[in-house]
Amino acid sequence: MTSPIAAHYGWTLWLIFGGMALLTFANRAGLLLLAGRFRLPKVVEDALRFAPAAALAAIVAPDLLLHGGRVDLSLDNARLYAGLAGFAVALVLRSTMLAIGVGMLALFALARIA
C-alpha cells in the first residue's frame, strides 16, 4: 500500500530524502575534519559545557509544566512533582539512574493516587 504523499510526489520525495542525508553527512563530516585545525575561545568552550543540560531542560520542562497547553502548577500536576522528586535526588545524591528511578516511581505513585 502506497501512501498518498509518496504516490503524489514519486521520485521527488526520494531525491529530497537523499539530498537531506547528503547535506547532513557533509555538515557533520566537515566539522569533524576541521576540528583539529582550530581552537575555540575559552569562553565558548566553557559555555558549550552547559549545552547538554540546557537541551535537556528545554525538552523536559514543557512536559512537566504544561497541561492542555497551559502552565499547570496545581497539586493535580503529578508530572511536575515527580520531576521535582527526581531533581532533588539528582541534586543530593548525584546519581542519574537513581533520579530517573525515583522520578518514575513518584509519577507512578502520584498517578495512582489521583
Side-chain angles (χ1 to χ4, degrees), residues 2-17:
T2 305
S3 79
I5 295 173
H8 179 72
Y9 290 104
W11 284 102
T12 306
L13 194 59
W14 287 108
L15 288 173
I16 291 170
F17 287 156

Side-chain angles (χ1 to χ4, degrees), residues 38-93:
F38 67 92
R39 182 108 174 128
L40 292 174
K42 178 82 171 118
V43 69
V44 173
E45 285 183 4
D46 290 342
L48 285 175
R49 287 188 355 201
F50 297 103
L56 182 61
I59 293 169
V60 171
D63 193 43
L64 295 180
L65 297 173
L66 298 178
H67 185 73
R70 295 181 176 263
V71 174
D72 182 13
L73 300 176
S74 70
L75 293 174
D76 294 334
N77 189 352
R79 294 175 298 178
L80 175 62
Y81 295 106
L84 290 174
F87 178 73
V89 168
L91 194 62
V92 173
L93 300 178

